[in-house]
Amino acid sequence: MYLKCISLSNIGPFKETGDITFGKGLNLIVGQNNSGKTTILKAMLSDRTSAPHRSDETAKKFQQSYPRMDLKLCYSGAELKKAVNISRENLSVLVPQRGSMPADQRNSVKTPQQLMRDYFFQNEIEFDIYRSSGVDFQPVNRPSHNLYSDDVPSIFARVGFSEDDVFISGTAVTDNLIEFVRQMWKDGVFYFTAQRYGIGRYKYGREDVLNSDASNLAGYLAVLQGERSSIFARLIGHVREIFSNVGNLSVTTTPDGFDIRVWPTEESLNPILSFSLEESGTGVAQVVAILAVIMTTEQAVIVIDEISSFLHPRAAKSLLRIMSTIYSNNQYIISTHSHDVISHSSVSTMHIVKKFGYCSQVKSVLYRDIHALREIGEELGISMTDVFAANKIVWVEGQTEEACFPFILEKALGRNYPQGLIFSAVIATGDFGPRKRDREVVIGIYKKLTSEVLPLSNLSAFSFDREKISQEDAKNIETENKGLLFLPARHYECFLINVSAIHALIVSECPEIEIDIDLVDRELRTRARDPKYDASKEWNGDFCEGLWFRKVNAAKLIGDSISTITQARLEFDKVRHSLFLTKFIFENIQEKNYVATELKNYILSLIDIK
């Protein structure tokens, strides 16, 4: 099941949206606050009554237009058959009454059984549905299965299913196919907003199906914990990936029902050391609910409103990666005004919503459309006006490099860096590994953007994280793409693994905690040997020598270490804390740290690229 298309008429800020199409994977709706993104998402809910459109025009006419929403839903025949069998209700549809047709017409129409057999064995069946004031889930076409025109003589018939066939089992009095479609849509759409509360506890009772609003999450997780423990354990693992300060989850019983508990450590030894999900913030609760859905439901439609309003950018990216890779069989429709979310490389479709007075408009956007990309930047506050005076732009991996590289360059030069040089984070880095086409698209976009911003001087350079690309492949890519350099390590945080700097950061952020520098050293060394940071085999006891620091997942290692040392009181903020660590290293210990020297040389070579 997935939503192929939606269009709104006379709903909220929309007079007419036109067709808003979606793909099977990750779909983004982008725009400023109060532009109409939430109106589009809420219109997808089967029990939602939409407010009518209001404008100067409707006010002058002293009347309001009638709201209408059109959906194009796609199901497989197997999904429909399964829904009918689970419900144990009779399925009735309109079938041709061949005996009432003229002989020449009768031969051109298949028998009812042939039609039903062909229909329910399709891989994809489209339903055109509309909703309006007082009308809920009605088919646009008659009959609803759209197998033939409504001028063909028809009768109502019951349809049944055997293991591998479809058969007509008798006459009926109505066509109820659309009722099954409506129920499947209602059960298969899960809507998440930042305002949901009270999902950490639930009354006693067996909950085998998660409600679309996740209100029975505690009871549902209790079943997973007791009977599907491997899935529950995998869910916990995903939560740890997303939140470095969450170590474990459990579902306990109380006099009133089930209670979801959150543990800051992997060990769950003493209940008094855990926290109720209700006390853990909206982000954790929402992520647990989202993971519970995508891990246990197939072909669901996951609607998330303003994902960045309840998730830290790093957590949002981790969740998006998990959704788009491991659980890609679901459809995701997400609204956002954050370029951190837009930077995800696996976006299927993207639409921008802009409001003009009383009316909003929706426009489909392609990554390859440079003008539309700039339009998105303006909507999200990524202004390019400050770079028109630039002589050269260095496009960098993200906001961390955008903040730190100018500081390092000034230290390397011993003076302010050249006027007219701009460091700017890219919107989408793409995939610079095996998919050559993706990296060419990304580089092409930013070269075009540079040429528009710098019409007299088309000078640009690119700095990207190496991630897990081998040194040989990195060199080949650099050779193919003049102006591009990879960091000589997995990512920027690799250069920040310094015991003194991290100790200083913790002391600065948490002055109430007495932290010995030896504790920081022991914690970092313990994690350096942990395989989950991807470089345990290269560990030789030195944080800045050999292959270890170039391959380790340093951002996660630093974040996890800080969380453990401070007992989850401090979460590693990549941009702000990376700048602190950078300044500390360069201002206090850079002469003893040749890693800092290597980083200075890298940035100097970057700005010299022609």
Side-chain angles (χ1 to χ4, degrees):
M1 177 185 80
Y2 74 98
L3 175 62
K4 190 172 186 177
C5 181
I6 186 173
S7 64
L8 308 183
S9 302
N10 300 312
I11 294 179
F14 300 103
K15 178 64 177 174
E16 296 283 348
T17 64
D19 289 343
I20 307 171
T21 58
F22 300 106
K24 291 185 178 181
L26 182 64
N27 303 269
L28 298 182
I29 300 177
V30 179
Q32 295 179 357
N33 292 333
N34 198 39
S35 61
K37 303 189 301 295
T38 299
T39 299
I40 297 173
L41 299 187
K42 286 185 176 180
M44 300 175 189
L45 303 179
S46 61
D47 58 350
R48 177 67 62 174
T49 301
S50 301
H53 174 67
R54 294 180 177 89
S55 65
D56 284 338
E57 181 181 352
T58 59
K60 290 175 182 178
K61 294 180 178 179
F62 299 99
Q63 65 181 18
Q64 294 178 353
S65 303
Y66 291 105
R68 172 168 171 143
M69 175 194 68
D70 286 78
L71 296 170
K72 188 180 291 293
L73 309 179
C74 293
Y75 299 86
S76 68
E79 287 180 284
L80 284 170
K81 289 187 288 185
K82 181 179 178 181
V84 173
N85 289 334
I86 291 176
S87 71
R88 298 184 179 179
E89 297 287 336
N90 289 325
L91 171 63
S92 305
V93 298
L94 273 172
V95 297
Q97 193 174 10
R98 290 166 57 87
S100 302
M101 299 179 187
D104 57 340
Q105 186 178 4
R106 190 184 312 158
N107 295 331
S108 65
V109 178
K110 294 182 179 180
T111 66
Q113 184 167 352
Q114 289 174 327
L115 283 171
M116 293 299 101
R117 182 182 294 120
D118 293 346
Y119 185 71
F120 284 102
F121 279 89
Q122 294 182 87
N123 291 326
E124 187 172 291
I125 303 173
E126 290 187 1
F127 287 93
D128 290 315
I129 310 297
Y130 78 92
R131 293 174 56 220
S132 61
S133 299
V135 178
D136 184 27
F137 257 69
Q138 291 297 310
V140 174
N141 304 303
R142 299 285 181 175
S144 60
H145 49 56
N146 202 29
L147 292 177
Y148 50 84
S149 61
D150 58 4
D151 59 352
V152 175
S154 307
I155 60 172
F156 296 111
R158 290 201 304 269
V159 177
F161 306 103
S162 63
E163 184 175 345
D164 56 1
D165 202 359
V166 180
F167 56 89
I168 304 297
S169 61
T171 61
V173 296
T174 186
D175 185 337
N176 67 352
L177 175 59
I178 204 66
E179 291 301 314
F180 286 96
V181 173
R182 185 195 67 80
Q183 190 62 43
M184 292 171 66
W185 181 251
K186 181 179 179 181
D187 294 341
V189 176
F190 295 84
Y191 187 85
F192 297 91
T193 71
Q195 284 73 43
R196 180 184 288 113
Y197 301 101
I199 61 175
R201 298 186 177 94
Y202 197 70
K203 62 186 179 181
Y204 284 121
R206 183 177 180 85
E207 300 293 326
D208 290 313
V209 178
L210 187 64
N211 294 339
S212 59
D213 61 358
S215 57
N216 63 338
L217 178 64
Y220 187 69
L221 290 185
V223 174
L224 292 185
Q225 179 178 259
E227 300 180 9
R228 305 172 71 183
S229 57
S230 58
I231 293 179
F232 188 72
R234 195 157 64 246
L235 185 150
I236 294 172
H238 290 323
V239 174
R240 288 175 185 154
E241 289 181 62
I242 298 169
F243 301 107
S244 61
N245 56 359
V246 175
N248 213 333
L249 295 175
S250 63
V251 182
T252 62
T253 57
T254 70
D256 299 320
F258 298 109
D259 183 21
I260 302 173
R261 308 296 296 181
V262 179
W263 302 76
T265 59
E266 294 187 21
E267 296 81 11
S268 50
L269 301 177
N270 189 341
I272 200 172
L273 299 177
S274 65
F275 303 87
S276 172
L277 186 64
E278 305 291 324
E279 303 170 335
S280 300
T282 305
V284 177
Q286 297 292 65
V287 165
V288 172
I290 292 170
L291 289 172
V293 172
I294 67 177
M295 293 178 66
T296 60
T297 307
E298 294 184 359
Q299 304 297 327
V301 178
I302 315 298
V303 181
I304 306 176
D305 193 6
E306 294 291 5
I307 187 172
S308 297
S309 65
F310 60 84
L311 278 183
H312 182 277
R314 182 181 66 181
K317 289 182 178 180
S318 296
L319 177 60
L320 290 174
R321 178 185 56 77
I322 291 171
M323 291 192 304
S324 61
T325 55
I326 305 176
Y327 306 103
S328 58
N329 58 325
N330 297 304
Q331 183 184 38
Y332 304 96
I333 302 175
I334 301 172
S335 72
T336 184
H337 56 261
S338 168
H339 71 278
D340 291 297
V341 175
I342 296 174
S343 68
H344 196 272
S345 61
S346 299
V347 175
S348 177
T349 69
M350 179 160 48
H351 304 274
I352 181 171
V353 184
K354 300 183 70 174
K355 193 170 187 180
F356 306 91
Y358 292 100
C359 297
S360 293
Q361 297 177 357
V362 184
K363 179 181 179 181
S364 179
V365 175
L366 298 176
Y367 276 123
R368 292 174 174 82
D369 187 342
I370 186 63
H371 298 287
L373 198 61
R374 293 186 67 187
E375 185 178 2
I376 288 178
E378 292 170 1
E379 282 298 295
L380 302 180
I382 308 173
S383 174
M384 298 303 295
T385 57
D386 59 343
V387 301
F388 275 96
N391 296 319
K392 183 172 184 176
I393 297 178
V394 179
W395 298 104
V396 294
E397 180 79 21
Q399 291 178 313
T400 301
E401 291 79 5
E402 188 178 67
C404 297
F405 278 20
F407 173 82
I408 298 172
L409 180 57
E410 289 188 353
K411 287 294 182 181
L413 296 174
R415 54 180 170 81
N416 293 337
Y417 65 84
Q419 186 177 7
L421 174 64
I422 297 294
F423 291 91
S424 184
V426 300
I427 292 178
T429 58
D431 182 355
F432 287 89
R435 299 181 62 179
K436 179 179 179 180
R437 182 180 179 184
D438 283 357
R439 63 174 179 263
E440 288 179 344
V441 168
V442 174
I443 293 172
I445 283 174
Y446 285 95
K447 284 186 176 180
K448 287 182 181 179
L449 183 54
T450 304
S451 66
E452 290 192 5
V453 175
L454 308 178
L456 300 179
S457 179
N458 185 17
L459 294 177
S460 61
F462 301 85
S463 172
F464 293 118
D465 293 347
R466 180 178 293 178
E467 292 296 345
K468 295 185 178 181
I469 301 175
S470 68
Q471 184 175 356
E472 181 180 356
D473 288 342
K475 288 296 182 184
N476 291 336
I477 295 173
E478 290 173 348
T479 301
E480 294 172 2
N481 300 277
K482 299 299 183 183
L484 182 150
L485 285 180
F486 286 104
L487 275 170
R490 177 171 180 162
H491 47 220
Y492 179 72
E493 289 76 16
C494 293
F495 297 95
L496 306 181
I497 305 176
N498 182 278
V499 175
S500 299
I502 294 172
H503 175 260
L505 172 63
I506 295 173
V507 171
S508 174
E509 294 283 334
C510 302
E512 74 281 5
I513 306 177
E514 292 187 8
I515 299 294
D516 187 272
I517 193 170
D518 290 337
L519 173 61
V520 177
D521 185 72
R522 288 195 301 273
E523 181 65 28
L524 291 172
R525 290 181 181 278
T526 298
R527 292 187 181 275
R529 297 188 293 269
D530 193 327
K532 75 177 182 180
Y533 300 104
D534 302 333
S536 58
K537 294 180 180 179
E538 287 78 16
W539 174 244
N540 64 355
D542 195 313
F543 290 120
C544 58
E545 185 177 354
L547 290 176
W548 179 85
F549 96 93
R550 301 184 190 277
K551 297 181 63 175
V552 69
N553 189 341
K556 182 172 177 55
L557 183 144
I558 293 173
D560 291 352
S561 298
I562 290 175
S563 180
T564 299
I565 293 169
T566 63
Q567 297 180 339
R569 297 184 190 181
L570 177 62
E571 181 179 356
F572 182 55
D573 184 316
K574 280 190 65 175
V575 179
R576 186 167 60 88
H577 292 163
S578 291
L579 183 58
F580 179 98
L581 294 174
T582 300
K583 288 183 175 180
F584 186 92
I585 291 172
F586 276 85
E587 292 175 351
N588 295 278
I589 52 178
Q590 63 156 322
E591 297 305 324
K592 302 176 183 178
N593 185 356
Y594 63 81
V595 171
T597 302
E598 181 178 11
L599 192 54
K600 285 193 299 184
N601 292 335
Y602 169 78
I603 296 176
L604 287 172
S605 65
L606 186 68
I607 66 172
D608 284 340
I609 294 177
K610 304 299 183 190

